[in-house]
Every structure is written in C-alpha cells, then in structure tokens.
Amino acid sequence: MTTPHRNRQPAGIPVGGQFATTAHAEPAGVHMNDQSGSIPASAPGAWAAAFGLGQAGLQGDVTLYTGGNPDAAEGALAYVSPRGHELVISGAGTDNLTIHHFDPTEENTFTTERTGCEDPAKAVEAIEDVLWDLETRDVFTAGFYDGEVFETREVELGRTGDGTSCASMTVRDEGDNELYVSHDYDTGKTTLSSERGELSGLAQEAALDALIVDMAEESEDGNNEVAAARAFERIRSAALKLPGAEKRLAPRKESDTKAGMRDLMEHVQNRDSTTGQQARNAAVLATGAQLGLEYINAVTTVNAGGDSTSAAMYAIGAAALAPLPGRLEADKHDTAAMREHIRKTQETLRKTGSLLDGFAVGGRQPVFLQLDNTLTEMDEFLVGP
C-alpha cells in the first residue's frame, strides 16, 4: 500500500548541505520552547545533531518532535523529506540511531534501528535507506494497484548482493492468504510463491492471471507474463526518477538495436494506427528478418577476407536464424509465441555452436555471444516499457 503522507514543509531547520542560520517561523503545533519559555534540556543536543545531518547531505526540514508518541525518545527530531515523507529520528550523533515512521492508519508504522552511526554520513545513509523503502511503496502504484481481491502489503526494489536488479511484493487476499511476487529485471522472469513454496505450471499461471486481472493492466494479447513484465518495467521507470536511484537501481541502457526497434515501432504506429503491442511485434519481426540477412551476408564477406573460421561461425548463426522470420510472421499476433520462437533460436545456437564455444577463452565465441545478446534484446523489447 502507498504510505499516507502530507505534503508540507514544517517550521524548523531546513537541512541540505548548508543550513540556514535561523529557524523558520513556527506554525501552530511546532514549538521549540516549553510553556515556561525556557529551551528544553534536550534541545541543544538535538539541534546540533540536526546540523550534523544537514552538513552530511540530508535534504528536508527538521524540527523538535512534539507528537507525543511514547515510542519516540526525548529530544527526538521530526524530519520531513523533500517529497513529504515524515520520520522521527532519535540518537543522531550516537552509536544507536532509531528511525520511526508513524503511520496514522497504523498499517505502515515501523521502527528501524542502526548501530555504528556516530558519523553523520552513516546516519544519513540509514535515513535515506528508510526513505527509499517509503518511496518504493509510492512508485509501485505505477505498475500495481490494490484491487478487489488482493492488496499490497510489502514491497522491495533494488539490487541484490550479487548486483541483480529485482523487485518484489507481498500481496494478501481477503482470506489473509499471502502471495510473494518477484521479478528479475535481468532475465525478465516473474515468479510467484505461496506460503507453501514457489508455484509452477498451472498453479503459477492461474495465480498470475488472478493477480494481473485484479491489480494491473492486462496485456492486449491476453498473455499475463507480458503484462507482469510490463508492470514491473513501469515501476522501474518511475523509481529511476527518485533521489538516490542511481545508487540502488541499475537503469536499463538502450542499445542501438533496441533504439532501432523503438524507432521502427513508432513508425509503424504512425503509419498504420496499430496498437502499441502490434507495432512492437512488427518491429521485432522486421529486426529478425534483417538479422538473418546480415548473418548470411557476413558469411560471404568474412570468407572473402580469408577468415574461414569466423565465416563458419557466421554460417552457424545464419542457420540458427533461418527459421525465425517465418515463425515470427506466423505468430505475429501472439507475443508469448514470438518470445518462445526467439528463445528456441537461442537454444539452437548454443547447441550448434557448443563445439567452437569450447575453444573460446570466456566459454563463448564473440560471434555467438553477440547474436545471443541481440536475440535477448528482441525478447525483452516485446515486453519492454
């Protein structure tokens, strides 16, 4: 669920690189002094901590916390990010940093504790981690929304320890049954797991269909694997606009091949007034036909140059590609079938090129690797943003 928040900038110290030397004018409800007019004993240390966070790069506004939640320590800071997310921070400048998010609905109230944050830069990093989690909840609505059956409970977006870019969410139905949905941006694969383990076959297909119908935009050709991939791509596109995204999420770099397919897709749409998916399929179909011709021509050109070994590799690539244009043409209205034809071409290439791959330093001949990567880009483009 999207975390409720108020878009406001409260009074207090504006943080962000260099602090202003004076506090903002205080609106009702925000008080730096107690009723006797004296500064609370905790205030000097709290303000010093706030200055330290600002000098370490924290952006937003900070005031003394006066919300009265018993979980917040005395002298805690109320912090509002530039995008309006509100946190309560205590222990800044000490070894034990505590960050609260108090949700008025109680649905997304949580507390994060970090040690080793005496260095303000470490504290800012911890605060930004919490903000990223909150921002992620917001951007997930670009791909999935709470439906009549399912609602989002937890979400994650970023890179794993091995550098894989992925997204995941836990959804719950009316019977409190949970479904865990994970998407690997590198492979384009979406997997689903229940409390009993990962789903497969008809069980996965049925669960994914139910999820897409209730929470997302269905694919034009009725293939919900495509719909899921596209929903997660919308989430990534929205997340890449958030502060700090470059540290947490790898952007999808568009190659010349994908840029060419995108130009062709737009041309087809403008010329024929087709739907986005039909134009996308047409662009991939044309690219497959062109790719086959390029590899046939490369055999002649490279062989004429005296490199018979490379010519043989291009011939293997051309043979693997030979059936592809016809198969793509036959199923040009079925995105899932087109993706399957592309993947089978990759399998054929790996099998027929395996002997020569065995002599390659990296385990794959450059000619085969380049073709395999291009086929992967065609597959991705069929479901891309």
Side-chain angles (χ1 to χ4, degrees), residues 227-349:
R230 190 158 296 147
F232 279 109
E233 282 294 347
R234 288 196 296 270
I235 291 168
R236 169 154 59 178
S237 296
L240 286 171
K241 300 174 184 177
L242 297 176
E246 67 283 354
K247 297 187 295 184
R248 303 169 187 277
L249 195 63
R252 183 177 292 280
K253 298 179 181 179
E254 187 152 272
S255 67
D256 291 342
T257 299
K258 280 193 176 178
M261 287 190 287
R262 193 172 301 283
D263 289 343
L264 183 55
M265 179 184 77
E266 293 173 357
H267 173 72
V268 171
Q269 279 186 290
N270 293 333
R271 184 194 66 189
D272 301 335
S273 298
T274 61
T275 65
Q277 189 62 55
Q278 289 173 335
R280 192 177 290 273
N281 291 5
V284 170
L285 171 59
T287 300
Q290 180 63 33
L291 192 60
L293 291 175
E294 288 176 359
Y295 270 73
I296 291 172
N297 293 335
V299 175
T300 303
T301 303
V302 174
N303 196 44
D307 189 349
S308 58
T309 301
S310 292
M313 293 182 193
Y314 279 108
I316 290 172
L321 286 168
L324 184 61
R327 291 171 178 170
L328 293 178
E329 173 67 31
D331 287 315
K332 62 184 179 183
H333 298 301
D334 187 340
T335 304
M338 292 181 72
R339 296 186 72 193
E340 186 62 25
H341 293 320
I342 291 171
R343 292 170 184 175
K344 285 183 177 178
T345 301
Q346 291 177 295
E347 290 176 10
T348 299
L349 179 64

Side-chain angles (χ1 to χ4, degrees), residues 352-365:
T352 55
S354 60
L355 181 60
L356 289 173
D357 278 337
F359 295 99
V361 175
R364 201 79 196 274
Q365 294 290 351

Side-chain angles (χ1 to χ4, degrees), residues 110-336:
F110 61 84
T111 298
T112 297
E113 296 181 349
R114 294 280 186 93
T115 59
C117 291
E118 300 97 329
D119 182 351
K122 292 288 186 182
V124 170
E125 182 179 325
I127 294 168
E128 289 177 345
D129 285 345
V130 173
L131 289 176
W132 176 258
D133 289 341
L134 291 171
E135 302 279 17
T136 296
R137 285 180 170 269
D138 291 346
V139 300
F140 252 75
T141 59
F144 297 95
Y145 46 81
D146 288 346
E148 295 182 2
V149 178
F150 296 103
E151 66 175 9
T152 308
R153 304 302 298 173
E154 296 177 7
V155 300
E156 290 185 273
L157 180 66
R159 282 194 287 256
T160 61
D162 62 3
T164 301
S165 293
C166 61
S168 64
M169 64 178 183
T170 300
V171 300
R172 184 179 298 170
D173 66 15
E174 295 170 315
D176 284 338
N177 300 302
E178 290 191 342
L179 192 64
Y180 179 75
V181 187
S182 179
H183 183 78
D184 186 324
Y185 285 110
D186 297 332
T187 65
K189 183 179 180 182
T190 303
T191 57
L192 288 83
S193 302
S194 69
E195 296 167 345
R196 297 179 179 179
E198 185 172 333
L199 304 181
S200 61
L202 292 176
Q204 156 121 346
E205 184 178 333
L208 183 59
D209 287 352
L211 183 77
I212 295 300
V213 168
D214 191 54
M215 299 186 71
E217 180 182 335
E218 295 180 69
S219 175
E220 292 172 5
D221 63 4
N223 185 278
N224 286 322
E225 287 188 12
V226 172
R230 190 158 296 147
F232 279 109
E233 282 294 347
R234 288 196 296 270
I235 291 168
R236 169 154 59 178
S237 296
L240 286 171
K241 300 174 184 177
L242 297 176
E246 67 283 354
K247 297 187 295 184
R248 303 169 187 277
L249 195 63
R252 183 177 292 280
K253 298 179 181 179
E254 187 152 272
S255 67
D256 291 342
T257 299
K258 280 193 176 178
M261 287 190 287
R262 193 172 301 283
D263 289 343
L264 183 55
M265 179 184 77
E266 293 173 357
H267 173 72
V268 171
Q269 279 186 290
N270 293 333
R271 184 194 66 189
D272 301 335
S273 298
T274 61
T275 65
Q277 189 62 55
Q278 289 173 335
R280 192 177 290 273
N281 291 5
V284 170
L285 171 59
T287 300
Q290 180 63 33
L291 192 60
L293 291 175
E294 288 176 359
Y295 270 73
I296 291 172
N297 293 335
V299 175
T300 303
T301 303
V302 174
N303 196 44
D307 189 349
S308 58
T309 301
S310 292
M313 293 182 193
Y314 279 108
I316 290 172
L321 286 168
L324 184 61
R327 291 171 178 170
L328 293 178
E329 173 67 31
D331 287 315
K332 62 184 179 183
H333 298 301
D334 187 340
T335 304

Side-chain angles (χ1 to χ4, degrees), residues 79-123:
Y79 165 72
V80 181
S81 75
R83 292 173 64 87
H85 287 295
E86 302 179 17
L87 302 175
V88 176
I89 303 166
S90 59
T94 71
D95 182 59
N96 297 306
L97 179 71
T98 302
I99 305 169
H100 300 283
H101 180 256
F102 297 132
D103 180 359
T105 68
E106 300 265 342
E107 292 183 357
N108 192 31
T109 292
F110 61 84
T111 298
T112 297
E113 296 181 349
R114 294 280 186 93
T115 59
C117 291
E118 300 97 329
D119 182 351
K122 292 288 186 182

